Amino acid sequence: MNQLAPSSSSSSSAGATPAAVQAWLLLGMLVWGVNVSAVKVLTGFFEALPLAALRMVVACMALSAIVLWRRSGVPGFGMRRLAALAGCGFLMVYANQILFALGLQRSTATNGALIMALSPLVSALMAALVFREALTARRLVGVALGFTGVAAVVLSHPGASLSHAGLGDLMLALSVVSFAVGGVGVQRLARQIDPLSMSWGIYVMGTAMLVVHALLGPSPLGAAQLFPGAWPWALVLFSGVAATAAGNLIWNRAISVIGVARTAVFLYWVPVFGVAVAALLLGERLTWWHLFGFAAVMSGTWLGTRPAAAVAVAATVSKPAP
């Protein structure tokens, strides 16, 4: 095992500029937008919880291959870091996947999309509480604009309608909180562990919990479910490798560079990209509501990701000398 030095995260993120990180985040959100359609197709071949476990196992295998290639060995963690990684794995992988899967079974897709769009607001509140980050009016306006854009995209879909809140909506809301709290833990760990080793540790821990739950659950994967055909497995590989492994590497690296609150604003792009991909590949019709939603999400992202320091410096420069 390679024992990690405390300074490994800072050295790995030293060459990363916020602009480059945000460009990678947009690419990651595009992949996550495509992944929504991929997972929707996969639910026709697999049960929800076994599918989540299968996707996470594939992601772990991909992350392990990258770690072995880049690190020439498995990272070693002290007991305190191991416990912190287990906590993040429980929140961001195990609890998030279970609450999301069970919540969608009991709620509507429209309710689910709008509840998940609350994630940037929850992350901003967590960052303000834990890291004392300023919850400025500019950031709140950015969050509100982004949510408005997502609502315009989701509610303009034919047949979309809101249902009364119920247990499913509560589970979806708890999945948002679980992921946001885990993101706060990632931001703390990023001061001690590089993003690659951190992502690997989180997903190994969380996936182990999820696999045990799936094996002990009422609908474990049997031989017939494991091999439904080449096309479903191609989607599983895409979802596990590109969306989960690579996507979360980008996500955790972004948190280590620009913080959890500014990173979470990019989640607004997932439904926007999802609709755009559906229009390109499935021929779904775009409306003016989609264009409005795109503009609102783009404006909200710009406002929500501008660092407060930049505003303060601009104000100082523009202030006349006494």
Side-chain angles (χ1 to χ4, degrees):
M1 276 198 197
N2 297 331
Q3 191 68 29
L4 294 172
S7 60
S8 60
S9 74
S10 59
S11 62
S12 86
S13 298
T17 63
V21 166
Q22 290 170 15
W24 277 105
L25 267 175
L26 278 176
L27 176 61
M29 297 308 100
L30 172 60
V31 173
W32 282 2
V34 176
N35 187 53
V36 172
S37 297
V39 172
K40 184 177 180 180
V41 172
L42 285 171
T43 54
F45 297 93
F46 301 96
E47 294 289 335
L49 288 179
L51 172 61
L54 188 60
R55 288 171 48 234
M56 296 305 111
V57 168
V58 171
C60 271
M61 293 173 65
L63 285 171
S64 297
I66 297 171
V67 165
L68 291 173
W69 171 54
R70 294 290 299 273
R71 299 282 181 268
S72 300
V74 176
F77 306 104
M79 288 303 297
R80 291 185 64 181
R81 292 180 185 176
L82 206 59
L85 288 169
C88 289
F90 175 83
L91 291 167
M92 300 184 76
V93 181
Y94 176 74
N96 178 261
Q97 289 291 328
I98 287 180
L99 289 168
F100 181 73
L102 296 180
L104 275 185
Q105 288 179 351
R106 294 165 172 80
S107 183
T108 65
T110 303
N111 282 28
L114 292 177
I115 291 170
M116 299 306 290
L118 292 172
S119 184
L121 176 59
V122 175
S123 295
L125 292 173
M126 289 292 175
L129 287 172
V130 177
F131 300 112
R132 299 293 188 268
E133 290 186 14
L135 201 59
T136 61
R138 171 179 51 82
R139 177 167 290 177
L140 290 176
V141 169
V143 168
L145 270 175
F147 182 80
T148 301
V150 171
V153 169
V154 171
L155 293 176
S156 65
H157 194 275
S161 63
L162 290 171
S163 67
H164 295 295
L167 179 60
D169 297 314
L170 176 60
M171 288 182 169
L172 289 170
L174 289 174
S175 76
V176 169
V177 173
S178 175
F179 195 79
V181 174
V184 170
V186 166
Q187 187 167 335
R188 283 190 177 278
L189 280 171
R191 301 167 183 171
Q192 310 166 36
I193 309 174
D194 65 275
L196 175 57
S197 300
M198 177 171 57
S199 299
W200 179 80
I202 288 171
Y203 270 84
V204 166
M205 298 283 191
T207 299
M209 302 175 199
L210 199 57
V211 167
V212 170
H213 185 107
L215 290 175
L216 298 177
S219 54
L221 282 171
Q225 273 194 307
L226 272 176
F227 304 102
W231 171 240
W233 261 101
L235 292 178
V236 167
L237 290 174
F238 165 78
S239 182
V241 176
T244 305
N248 281 282
L249 267 178
I250 293 171
W251 183 262
N252 289 337
R253 182 170 177 78
I255 289 177
S256 70
V257 176
I258 64 175
V260 64
R262 292 168 65 197
T263 299
V265 173
F266 282 82
L267 285 172
Y268 287 139
W269 286 97
V270 175
V272 173
F273 282 137
V275 167
V277 169
L280 288 173
L281 301 182
L282 305 178
E284 292 190 6
R285 188 172 61 91
L286 291 177
T287 67
W288 287 106
W289 282 111
H290 293 107
L291 296 179
F292 168 76
F294 174 82
V297 167
M298 188 165 57
S299 302
T301 304
W302 181 76
L303 285 172
T305 56
R306 289 186 67 199
V311 179
V313 169
T316 304
V317 171
S318 63
K319 185 179 179 180

